[in-house]
Amino acid sequence: MFVLTEMKDTVRIQPWLFKDDVNDAIVNVLNKKFANKVVHNVGLCIALWDIQQLEDSFLFPGDGAHHTVVYFRFVVFRPFIDEILLGKIKSCSKDGVHVSMGFFDDIIIPPNAMQDPTRFDEQEQLWAWEYAMEDGKHDLFMDIGEEIRFRVSDEAFTDTTPVGPDQASQDSEKGEAEVKKSPYTVTASVSEPGLGLLSWWNS
Amino acid sequence: MEVKKEKSAMLSNYEVLALLQDIQKGHNKQKKMHTNIATVSYEIIQHLENTACAKQSPEVISNFMKALEPYKLTKAEKLQFLNLRPRTAVEIQLIVEESEERLTEDQIYELLDLLGQHLPGDDTEQEQEEMEEEEIVDQE
């Protein structure tokens, strides 16, 4: 679920932090910059693990801050493909089931990755697995807030950096109500025995 | 910013939980932490405290890893055993790829025993109760 990522960055330490220990100042700056942010093709950054190497600090004319090239390792949330994870159902819609892990919400289970046969109940606005038993079909609903076990099947990174004015004006013509893109989306599947709501497999 | 190596190592949930708890402790004494790290560490601790890793320790993990050696599992599979602490055969079959070819049914039950023995969890008490119940039934 979590991995270590090796990164290199130039850290700018403001003059008013010179009274602090250099290492502490660098740790704080790095945590402030990366924690709880998604880095493209890396994952959701959590916290600094360690600093591996500091290069010499340098000063620029006209800037009171010092700049240091830092090699460091960061804890990153990046589940690997086929990993089994646990989460809670956040919402159900026709597009699928949205799952949250508390700190990460962009997990979606598309309709084609659910137990077969599963249907969307319009009345309840929930997905239900039509489990066949001897005495007929039973609807196993995927209620909101239930714990769910799923397998990671795919991941997608979207570049959400702001676009230039040309592109932006084109986009706004398409309509302001465009859905907010999430930078990192995990696609999951619950189509195997053992996957799905924990209560389905307890007995 | 430059990424040198995307996945240089995998971390177990226990390691992440320990790191974040350390960070929170360290910051209580000093000035407040930045909101980003405060939010994410709070949310992850909330999530992980309810999972198996909250009761683990370095000794528990290293003993468990030694016990798993004969089964020739991959690193990722062992890691998921630690993080998820499966309690049923179907969960083991999910985690272990091509489990039908690689593990016999007996081995799956051995693994379940190992998981129960080495990794502390909520259900130990429940199991004991069940055992006691069975004993009572036997006596009858």
Side-chain angles (χ1 to χ4, degrees):
Chain A
M1 175 148 92
F2 298 102
V3 294
L4 279 181
T5 300
E6 289 175 22
M7 294 196 268
K8 172 193 167 188
D9 198 11
T10 310
V11 175
R12 179 169 184 263
I13 303 293
Q14 304 277 19
W16 55 84
L17 297 171
F18 287 179
K19 65 176 180 356
D20 299 344
D21 183 56
V22 188
N23 284 352
D24 285 349
I26 289 174
V27 168
N28 284 334
V29 169
L30 287 174
N31 273 335
K32 189 174 164 184
K33 181 170 177 184
F34 291 106
N36 213 4
K37 302 246 171 74
V38 170
V39 175
H40 198 66
N41 288 338
V42 170
L44 175 70
C45 294
I46 310 290
L48 184 78
W49 183 259
D50 61 358
I51 293 176
Q52 295 191 298
Q53 195 195 330
L54 293 176
E55 283 184 5
D56 290 340
S57 304
F58 47 91
L59 300 167
F60 289 116
D63 183 359
H66 78 70
H67 299 248
T68 313
V69 175
V70 187
Y71 292 81
F72 59 97
R73 291 193 292 181
F74 222 82
V75 179
V76 174
F77 173 71
R78 177 85 184 271
F80 53 87
I81 304 294
D82 281 343
E83 181 165 0
I84 307 286
L85 291 175
L86 289 176
K88 281 203 173 87
I89 297 181
K90 195 177 74 168
S91 65
C92 282
S93 73
K94 275 203 150 160
D95 308 331
V97 177
H98 296 261
V99 180
S100 161
M101 292 186 72
F103 55 96
F104 183 75
D105 289 344
D106 295 313
I107 303 167
I108 180 149
I109 304 167
N112 61 2
M114 293 183 198
Q115 300 277 6
D116 194 48
T118 298
R119 68 181 166 85
F120 187 64
D121 190 304
E122 296 280 353
Q123 213 171 356
E124 303 270 352
Q125 291 287 312
L126 291 173
W127 285 91
W129 177 23
E130 296 175 318
Y131 186 70
M133 298 238 283
E134 285 161 17
D135 54 337
K137 276 184 194 169
H138 278 254
D139 282 347
L140 297 173
F141 283 101
M142 298 196 192
D143 290 313
I144 288 164
E146 287 287 325
E147 275 201 277
I148 187 166
R149 185 185 295 125
F150 55 92
R151 183 189 289 281
V152 176
S153 59
D154 199 10
E155 55 181 9
F157 286 94
T158 321
D159 196 353
T160 50
T161 44
V163 285
D166 285 347
Q167 260 186 300
S169 59
Q170 279 172 11
D171 283 352
S172 58
E173 281 163 22
K174 285 181 204 157
E176 292 287 314
E178 211 173 322
V179 198
K180 208 179 128 210
K181 280 185 260 173
S182 59
Y184 177 38
T185 318
V186 169
T187 311
S189 133
V190 289
S191 59
E192 288 163 68
L195 295 179
L197 297 203
L198 295 196
S199 53
W200 294 352
W201 305 100
N202 269 353
S203 46
Chain B
M1 193 265 299
E2 196 183 316
V3 178
K4 287 281 170 199
K5 207 172 173 190
E6 262 173 48
K7 293 174 182 171
S8 77
M10 288 193 279
L11 288 176
S12 73
N13 288 358
Y14 168 76
E15 288 167 294
V16 175
L17 182 66
L19 171 76
L20 293 178
Q21 282 171 338
D22 259 12
I23 289 178
Q24 285 208 331
K25 257 186 228 157
H27 274 273
N28 284 342
K29 294 174 216 149
Q30 303 167 18
K31 55 202 167 187
K32 61 177 191 223
M33 2 177 199
H34 191 260
T35 38
N36 282 347
I37 182 129
T39 314
V40 79
S41 54
Y42 171 79
E43 286 173 344
I44 292 185
I45 290 175
Q46 285 289 309
H47 177 81
L48 292 183
E49 267 180 345
N50 298 320
T51 63
C53 71
K55 295 193 180 75
Q56 289 166 0
S57 66
E59 299 86 58
V60 166
I61 293 174
S62 68
N63 286 340
F64 179 60
M65 284 299 156
K66 273 181 204 133
L68 280 186
E69 262 166 26
Y71 296 94
K72 292 188 181 127
L73 298 165
T74 64
K75 226 194 242 178
E77 287 160 356
K78 288 184 208 164
L79 182 70
Q80 290 182 78
F81 276 162
L82 267 183
N83 290 346
L84 298 167
R85 189 175 176 271
R87 298 306 305 132
T88 53
V90 70
E91 284 175 74
I92 291 195
Q93 283 160 346
L94 274 177
I95 293 168
V96 179
E97 234 175 288
E98 290 167 7
S99 58
E100 283 147 25
E101 287 159 35
R102 290 171 51 203
L103 295 174
T104 63
E105 207 168 311
D106 292 340
Q107 278 178 315
I108 290 180
Y109 286 108
E110 281 169 34
L111 278 172
L112 279 175
D113 281 346
L114 279 178
L115 281 155
Q117 271 172 28
H118 286 276
L119 301 183
D122 303 325
D123 50 11
T124 37
E125 283 171 32
Q126 221 179 339
E127 267 172 25
Q128 275 171 357
E129 276 169 31
E130 273 168 31
M131 294 260 279
E132 278 163 25
E133 273 170 34
E134 273 168 33
E135 275 166 29
I136 294 166
V137 173
D138 287 345
Q139 282 167 4
E140 281 169 2

